[in-house]
Amino acid sequence: MKSFHSIPKHIAIIMDGNGRWAKTHGLPRVQGHRAGAESVREAIDACKELGVPYLTLYAFSSENWSRPEAEVSALMSLLEKFLKTKLDDLMKQNVRLQAIGQIERLPASTRKILADVMELTANNDSITLVLALSYGSREEITAAARKIAKGVQDGTWHPDEITTELFASQLDTAHIPDPDLLIRTSGEMRVSNFLLWQISYAEMVIVDKCWPDFRQGDLFAAVAEYQKRHRRFGSV
Ligand code: IPE
Ligand code: IPE
Ligand code: MG
């Protein structure tokens, strides 16, 4: 068994398979999304128990806007409900909430509650929960390129000063360490526009279960798998 040093500093999860879970149970897709809320709690608890300081959850992608309007609005309502009903828990669990993605695209009511919860939890320090909402990595990278281009245009930077560090500082994740471990549920082996820059050296663990069936034990198993990997970062 490895030492505590190999506990990941940041776990990112692509919470996939809610629709298929619902289908298996003969339920409408939205019930799958609803059932997934319990798994979020399990993932937070497991990370807290292990001492993982950052957990990022992919909750809604840029591409998910193209789903039927009824599903999109159900997802936004569920998100609002989650934020309202979990605020007490987040405070008790000492969780700081942050968000990445094109938050401005969310409905005003969702933005309001999100901003409130982020403000109220800003000084909590046991774990940072980052929700990726209306998030797409290509959009994020393009926005960073745009900011840097403007900075060059107005004389803030010289083109030779554009390093990987400067670029990373213009991403939504500027103050968040890169994920060490990327988990995707439902057996799909793809990244779907999630943290493309940041996962360059993340270890990937694919879990066959659908997200609503994900429990603490599944996160512990993924971390155990991560601890068996030999990370080389391009070196020998
Ligand atoms: C993940 O589950 C949740 C979101 C993308 C919002 P899906 O809704 O993608 O479920 P499947 O993949 O269709 O089963
Ligand atoms: C990725 O899942 C996005 C989230 C989990 C929020 P999708 O279900 O949207 O991705 P694809 O369509 O399978 O690639
Ligand atoms: Mg899916």
Side-chain angles (χ1 to χ4, degrees):
M1 202 54 197
K2 297 224 179 132
S3 70
F4 63 90
H5 289 300
S6 53
I7 291 295
K9 279 200 180 56
H10 182 178
I11 298 180
I13 307 183
I14 303 175
M15 310 185 288
D16 196 20
N18 294 351
R20 276 162 285 166
W21 181 92
K23 196 171 181 191
T24 312
H25 290 77
L27 297 166
R29 287 179 60 85
V30 58
Q31 295 298 335
H33 299 312
R34 190 162 291 145
E38 181 56 27
S39 306
V40 170
R41 189 196 158 85
E42 295 267 332
I44 298 171
D45 285 346
C47 284
K48 281 199 61 178
E49 191 158 328
L50 293 175
V52 175
Y54 289 89
L55 171 66
T56 297
L57 298 175
Y58 201 5
F60 192 83
S61 75
S62 303
E63 289 75 16
N64 290 152
W65 288 113
S66 66
R67 293 190 178 193
E69 207 184 306
E71 181 167 344
V72 171
S73 65
L75 279 163
M76 293 303 147
S77 308
L78 278 172
L79 174 61
E80 288 181 28
K81 191 173 152 225
F82 174 85
L83 291 168
K84 278 183 202 148
T85 58
K86 295 288 169 190
L87 179 60
D88 278 355
D89 276 356
L90 296 176
M91 292 309 286
K92 273 190 208 119
Q93 292 175 297
N94 199 13
V95 178
R96 175 172 69 154
L97 186 81
Q98 296 197 331
I100 55 171
Q102 294 177 309
I103 304 305
E104 66 281 3
R105 291 184 71 184
L106 300 176
S109 54
T110 314
R111 287 202 310 267
K112 169 83 175 77
I113 170 88
L114 180 65
D116 288 349
V117 176
M118 288 199 298
E119 196 184 318
L120 288 163
T121 62
N123 294 319
N124 291 349
D125 59 5
S126 78
I127 181 170
T128 299
L129 172 65
V130 183
L131 292 182
L133 297 169
S134 186
Y135 176 84
S137 200
R138 287 178 171 178
E139 288 73 7
E140 179 192 31
I141 289 170
T142 307
R146 199 180 301 118
K147 280 185 261 177
I148 292 169
K150 283 184 180 152
V152 169
Q153 195 177 37
D154 70 18
T156 307
W157 296 302
H158 186 273
D160 293 341
E161 288 177 297
I162 305 169
T163 57
T164 53
E165 289 77 16
L166 175 71
F167 203 94
S169 77
Q170 301 305 306
L171 297 171
D172 292 359
T173 51
H175 303 289
I176 302 168
D178 287 343
D180 299 299
L181 171 60
L182 173 67
I183 299 172
R184 183 167 184 150
T185 56
S186 87
E188 302 288 4
M189 302 210 192
R190 57 176 171 265
V191 181
S192 303
N193 203 12
F194 189 43
L195 300 175
L196 301 180
W197 172 285
Q198 299 87 343
I199 60 167
S200 293
Y201 276 99
E203 295 295 328
M204 300 181 63
V205 172
I206 307 296
V207 176
D208 281 332
K209 283 183 184 176
C210 288
W211 178 248
D213 288 328
F214 189 88
R215 289 293 170 269
Q216 289 198 39
D218 299 303
L219 192 132
F220 296 146
V223 171
E225 166 70 29
Y226 164 86
Q227 290 176 328
K228 283 191 233 150
R229 306 274 178 88
H230 181 200
R231 302 180 83 191
R232 284 186 289 272
F233 299 98
S235 191
V236 287

